Amino acid sequence: MLITLQYMSSSLYYRRHNATGRVQDLNMAIKAGRSALQALPHNHRYSPRYQTELASKLIPRFDKQGSLDNINEAVLLSTSAAVTASTPSTISTDEDKSYSYRYTTLTQTLAKRFEKTEGEEDLEESIKYARAAASAVNKPGVKLLERHTTHQNWQI
């Protein structure tokens, strides 16, 4: 229950940040997201989701602060989440509905790091994962996001 509340707090702080632009809310969203992720048992089925969500919150903080630490952490988190995803040829709609979301987040983090460092390997990887995300979206029945059971009624 505590993990779910931390995850929800992270989501709510992030929503408030999006509405108000307050950096303090973004920082609290990241802090709560880290706490929720760290509290999950090893190899928990929600780990990739929590990693991806945390990575997506680190992107705007990187945009505001320009710190490579933020985007490097986002790349590590989104890479870890993407590694657990099925390959485009084996994904089933029931097995993993967040495949393209994970790869889109990884694409964004790599592209952001490329903007800062101009490392061509990040650009190449970003293109590769953008194609993987596109192939998943084109598969019939695949949805962009899996819903955490706590958030079934939320509009995303």
Side-chain angles (χ1 to χ4, degrees), residues 5-150:
L5 293 173
Q6 290 169 325
Y7 179 79
M8 288 176 59
S9 293
S10 176
S11 297
L12 292 170
Y13 277 121
Y14 192 64
R15 282 179 176 225
R16 188 163 69 185
H17 161 73
N18 286 338
T20 66
R22 290 179 37 191
V23 175
Q24 179 182 4
D25 289 328
L26 179 58
N27 291 336
M28 291 301 295
I30 291 167
K31 182 178 179 181
R34 282 184 181 137
S35 294
L37 181 60
Q38 290 171 352
L40 283 176
H42 181 67
N43 288 331
H44 191 276
R45 66 185 178 130
Y46 286 142
S47 292
R49 169 66 180 225
Y50 285 26
Q51 290 169 326
T52 302
E53 290 292 324
L54 181 53
S56 70
K57 292 172 178 110
L58 287 161
I59 294 170
R61 188 156 84 175
F62 167 75
D63 289 339
K64 291 178 185 309
Q65 298 176 352
S67 170
L68 272 175
D69 290 343
N70 290 315
I71 203 64
N72 286 337
E73 182 181 358
V75 168
L76 288 173
L77 288 164
S78 57
T79 299
S80 179
V83 166
T84 62
S86 303
T87 61
S89 61
T90 62
I91 187 173
S92 77
T93 56
D94 293 330
E95 175 187 340
D96 186 355
K97 295 178 180 174
S98 63
Y99 176 83
S100 61
Y101 179 60
R102 292 178 194 168
Y103 279 78
T104 299
T105 302
L106 179 54
T107 296
Q108 291 171 335
T109 61
L110 289 165
K112 288 285 183 182
R113 189 164 69 181
F114 168 76
E115 290 173 9
K116 182 80 170 182
T117 66
E118 298 183 2
E120 295 223 4
E121 63 281 352
D122 285 337
L123 182 59
E124 293 301 320
E125 288 290 296
S126 181
I127 292 167
K128 177 177 101 176
Y129 289 113
R131 287 182 178 151
S135 72
V137 170
N138 286 332
K139 190 167 185 172
V142 173
K143 297 178 183 175
L144 289 178
L145 294 174
E146 73 182 6
R147 292 194 188 272
H148 188 289
T149 55
T150 306

